[in-house]
Amino acid sequence: MAIVTGAGAGLGRAEALALARSGAAVVLNDVTDAAKTVVDEIEAEGGQALLVTGDVGERATADALVEAAVEHFGGLHVVVNNAGVLRDRMIFSMSDEEWDTVIRVHLRGHFLLSRNATAYWRTRSKASGGPVPARIVNTASEAFLVGSAGQPNYAAAKAGIVGLTVATARGAARYGVRANAICPRARTAMTAEVFGDAPAEGVDPLSVEHVAPLVAYLASERADRINGQVFVVHGGMVALLRPPAVERRFDTNGPLWTADELDSTVGAHFAGRDPETMFAATEILELP
């Protein structure tokens, strides 16, 4: 039994179909009834699906999704947090509403459903006296890796989702929960202005169909050893990200740092470095 948010089109639709084809009953969510056609697709293929509309940034939606999975399908094993919105603008031009909307839908939305699901799994684990099979697949983005200049709200939300994923993996692993995040590069309605139209012929390297199999795999019991990880996925490629590493450590020679000592140590480390070289993994965009 699985929940997929933002399942009306694009990546969420592909993920819901992949899970259904792997044998899961799926509760689909979208802010409108757009996902009804996906429910119909799943049922036409002999699967089970149910639509719960609502804004993932609202507590009531998270409550309704978990309740629907448990009441209609007898339980919950998988959560795929996919729903999102964009409000692109440079930091100096961004409004309060543009910031709050993206943080609420992406980060708060991931939190609310993850909180409800892990609370359910924790209760079941305690009742059974052992771990339960439970999976969370969160949706981050390469925007957090590169610091997308026109998307400070989106980049911040996606960085927060990575932190939330690792914290969830650490905090809920004892109950059987495995939480991982993907950074998908896919051609969807949300990325239409970035990636443009699909090629007229051949396999689209940015098709959502390249992403869905990884999500279905991470949602399966076969991925039990994978926890708290972040993957970039697109075009037939999966890249496992290495956790951040310390580039260099600086230690004071005195009881407290002085401005001169900081300049001669920390400052000297950056001598001759282009200020455009930042804490950003821009090379990720060049992965084969």
Side-chain angles (χ1 to χ4, degrees):
M1 284 70 80
I3 295 172
V4 180
T5 67
L11 190 54
R13 172 184 172 275
E15 292 166 338
L17 288 169
L19 288 168
R21 288 164 182 162
S22 70
V26 187
V27 177
L28 288 77
N29 160 262
D30 215 306
V31 74
T32 70
D33 62 0
K36 180 61 172 65
T37 59
V38 188
V39 170
D40 294 340
E41 284 185 77
I42 291 173
E43 292 180 338
E45 295 182 4
Q48 299 180 76
L50 177 72
L51 173 62
V52 174
T53 59
D55 181 347
V56 295
E58 298 293 335
R59 166 68 186 269
T61 302
D63 292 347
L65 286 167
V66 174
E67 182 179 331
V70 174
E71 290 191 358
H72 288 267
F73 297 129
L76 175 64
H77 300 98
V78 176
V79 165
V80 178
N81 282 306
N82 168 73
V85 295
L86 292 178
R87 297 291 186 272
D88 293 355
R89 205 172 299 278
M90 299 296 285
I91 184 65
F92 40 77
S93 302
M94 182 163 289
S95 69
D96 294 1
E97 185 276 333
E98 289 164 339
W99 173 269
D100 291 344
T101 295
V102 170
I103 297 297
R104 182 180 61 81
V105 173
H106 287 273
L107 187 52
R108 177 177 165 83
H110 274 60
F111 157 69
L112 289 172
L113 187 50
S114 295
R115 187 266 310 279
N116 284 18
T118 53
Y120 168 77
W121 291 323
R122 180 174 180 265
T123 298
R124 287 200 61 209
S125 175
K126 286 181 173 292
S128 68
V132 297
R135 303 287 183 266
I136 295 176
V137 181
N138 288 333
T139 308
S141 169
E142 292 168 283
F144 101 90
L145 293 166
V146 302
S148 183
Q151 299 178 308
N153 47 4
Y154 184 72
K158 293 306 188 181
I161 286 169
V162 170
L164 173 66
T165 302
V166 178
T168 301
R170 285 187 183 277
R174 72 187 75 176
Y175 307 115
V177 179
R178 302 292 181 262
N180 296 286
I182 62 168
C183 299
R185 196 184 302 180
R187 200 184 312 277
T188 67
M190 224 169 68
T191 62
E193 293 187 8
V194 177
F195 297 132
D197 296 330
E201 298 180 358
V203 177
D204 181 3
L206 295 179
S207 168
V208 294
E209 301 302 328
H210 293 298
V211 179
L214 175 63
V215 173
Y217 173 70
L218 292 174
S220 73
E221 293 192 29
R222 297 175 69 180
D224 189 62
R225 299 175 69 87
I226 305 173
N227 195 32
Q229 304 297 329
V230 182
F231 298 90
V232 175
V233 53
H234 61 84
M237 179 219 71
V238 174
L240 173 63
L241 297 187
R242 181 182 293 114
V246 175
E247 179 177 329
R248 182 172 173 181
R249 172 175 164 169
F250 306 94
D251 293 287
T252 179
N253 291 319
L256 294 173
W257 286 102
T258 65
D260 286 343
E261 188 182 16
L262 284 167
D263 190 49
S264 65
T265 54
V266 178
H269 180 68
F270 291 90
R273 183 178 294 193
D274 187 343
E276 293 296 321
T277 303
M278 306 173 191
F279 186 74
T282 51
E283 69 278 3
I284 201 75
L285 296 175
E286 300 170 1
L287 283 171

